[in-house]
Amino acid sequence: MRRMAVIGGSGLEGLFEGGERATVMTPYGSIGYSIVEERGIELLFIPRHGFGHGLPPHKVNYRGLIWSARWWGTTHIIATNAVGSMREEFEPGDLVIPDQFMDFTKSRPTTFYDDEVVHTDMTEPYSMEIRDALRKAAEDVGHPIHHGGVYVCTEGPRYETPAEIRAYRTLGGDIVGMTGVPEVVLAREADIEYATLAAVTNYAAGMQSRISHEEVVELMSKLNPVLKDVIVGAAEIILEED
Ligand code: HPA
């Protein structure tokens, strides 16, 4: 059976239903997952915050997530992230496939290499193979998608101030979220092909009157069917080529 891992973000805990839920004990703690079959592809679905959205962004077990994909034997991970947009033309409801990130997190474990000196190349943090497949799949589905963008990762769990957003935009950021890093870094360290499908749920702080988690989760839930189609479509493209 052809296989792919999917990490689902806020509002997407129910993205793939029907699979039996289980947990795997990793060296970093336990990870909940389910295995589902879509269009002849076996998907390891891992809700980033756990089933039921229990873990805040700074407490997510990022190392456990990536470790569990490795344990399952997959070479590819497609992730999803809810993001705020720092650019007018990236509208709420649009999808973005970032190609770069900037890390403004503060307190999370960010590496598998705590006891040896390993410096991992980050020239191309997000897999070009998966990004291309995501773009093709989104075009097939006919949903607005932006290919390329700089993902700014903040520590959270609070949203940003408008002053911070102005600064991030000046530095070259396009979208902002709280969970993209260190996930992508750990995937690079583990030599797993990884890319993320970011869904714009709101304009960033200062660009709209206020931001609420309810609004973010509501829009993500609305985008569920599109995200699912794009992810499974991309998985088909990737696994066909392999
Ligand atoms: N900021 C940070 N994280 C987010 C946002 C935001 O505006 N929207 C969704 N996740």
Side-chain angles (χ1 to χ4, degrees):
M1 175 82 76
R2 302 172 307 155
R3 328 180 114 187
M4 172 79 62
V6 177
I7 299 178
S10 298
L12 297 181
E13 289 76 18
L15 189 60
F16 293 100
E17 275 173 320
E20 210 171 299
R21 292 181 183 182
T23 50
V24 53
M25 185 47 80
T26 79
Y28 310 99
S30 69
I31 292 289
Y33 67 91
S34 66
I35 292 174
V36 289
E37 200 191 314
E38 295 280 340
R39 296 187 222 161
I41 299 170
E42 200 175 35
L43 298 174
L44 172 74
F45 177 62
I46 315 171
R48 180 180 289 119
H49 302 274
F51 288 110
H53 203 287
L55 297 169
H58 58 295
K59 294 276 177 64
V60 166
N61 183 358
Y62 295 100
R63 289 185 295 189
L65 293 176
I66 301 300
W67 190 97
S68 58
R70 248 293 175 70
W71 155 80
W72 195 58
T74 186
T75 49
H76 290 72
I77 300 175
I78 300 179
T80 61
N81 291 94
V83 294
S85 166
M86 295 190 273
R87 285 172 59 164
E88 291 289 345
E89 65 271 35
F90 289 7
E91 296 179 17
D94 288 2
L95 302 177
V96 183
I97 307 169
D99 60 344
Q100 288 287 315
F101 71 81
M102 288 195 269
D103 181 11
F104 289 94
T105 65
K106 297 173 191 162
S107 72
R108 356 181 141 175
T110 56
T111 182
F112 284 117
Y113 294 110
D114 271 332
D115 301 316
E116 52 183 310
V117 181
V118 176
H119 301 294
T120 306
D121 178 53
M122 285 293 140
T123 307
E124 193 179 289
Y126 299 98
S127 157
M128 200 185 295
E129 180 192 13
I130 303 182
R131 284 189 284 131
D132 282 346
L134 285 169
R135 179 180 53 179
K136 277 187 215 144
E139 283 167 1
D140 288 347
V141 170
H143 196 84
I145 187 145
H146 306 277
H147 198 48
V150 178
Y151 177 105
V152 169
C153 195
T154 60
E155 179 69 1
R158 66 170 177 83
Y159 290 113
E160 301 70 37
T161 64
E164 287 170 326
I165 293 298
R166 281 196 299 275
Y168 295 144
R169 198 188 302 118
T170 304
L171 291 173
D174 298 309
I175 51 178
V176 58
M178 302 176 193
T179 52
V181 183
E183 207 171 270
V184 56
V185 174
L186 295 163
R188 292 287 344 108
E189 285 188 348
D191 207 15
I192 291 178
E193 296 282 320
Y194 173 101
T196 192
L197 186 58
V200 177
T201 53
N202 55 281
Y203 280 117
M207 297 172 72
Q208 63 176 49
S209 57
R210 62 188 298 281
I211 300 164
S212 76
H213 181 61
E214 290 68 34
E215 166 196 34
V216 168
V217 171
E218 197 184 312
L219 190 42
M220 278 310 255
S221 302
K222 268 196 208 138
L223 288 171
N224 255 357
V226 170
L227 291 168
K228 189 170 170 176
D229 271 0
V230 175
I231 289 169
V232 177
E236 274 186 315
I237 294 168
I238 291 161
L239 295 171
E240 229 163 64
E241 285 165 1
D242 274 359

